Amino acid sequence: MTNDGMQTRYRALEEQVTQLKESTQKSLEDLRQIIIQQQQTNQSSQQTLQGSQAALQNSIAELVARVTTMAPSQIGSSTNPPTSTPPTPQNTQPIQVQLQPT
């Protein structure tokens, strides 16, 4: 290969290296932007989750306060019917008790 041919080849390689550097730099910047956006989304989601958790804790506290102030006869009464009927037990045997004279 002649000196001119080597110089041409060298310049072509230099151009490829420059293009790769520019492409890599652009990709890194794109990744930085994606990471920043993802961090913002994560922070927003975390704030939403914390708000939902606080609301849920308040609802639970309110329910506990209501139930603890109710008389046992009110729990499950016609004013507060259960949301579903409990399942009927299967294979149950009646309990037999024999009283002994004292």
Side-chain angles (χ1 to χ4, degrees):
M1 183 178 267
T2 66
N3 192 24
D4 286 343
M6 288 177 60
Q7 286 180 351
T8 302
R9 177 83 176 125
Y10 180 78
R11 280 194 291 276
L13 288 173
E14 273 187 325
E15 181 62 28
Q16 287 179 345
V17 168
T18 301
Q19 288 174 357
L20 283 171
K21 283 181 180 178
E22 291 171 356
S23 174
T24 301
Q25 192 62 36
K26 172 83 170 89
S27 295
L28 285 173
E29 186 56 38
D30 290 348
L31 284 172
R32 282 189 194 100
Q33 291 302 317
I34 291 169
I35 289 169
I36 289 169
Q37 290 172 351
Q38 190 61 51
Q39 287 172 336
Q40 291 170 343
T41 300
N42 289 350
Q43 186 176 12
S44 175
S45 296
Q46 186 176 11
Q47 290 170 346
T48 301
L49 180 60
Q50 288 170 344
S52 298
Q53 186 177 14
L56 181 58
Q57 288 172 336
N58 289 340
S59 296
I60 291 171
E62 184 180 326
L63 286 171
V64 169
R66 281 189 195 177
V67 169
T68 55
T69 59
M70 296 174 94
S73 61
Q74 289 179 302
I75 299 174
S77 67
S78 61
T79 57
N80 291 317
T83 54
S84 64
T85 56
T88 306
Q90 300 291 325
N91 302 326
T92 57
Q93 299 292 326
I95 299 174
Q96 296 180 353
V97 179
Q98 293 182 351
L99 298 176
Q100 303 283 336
T102 56

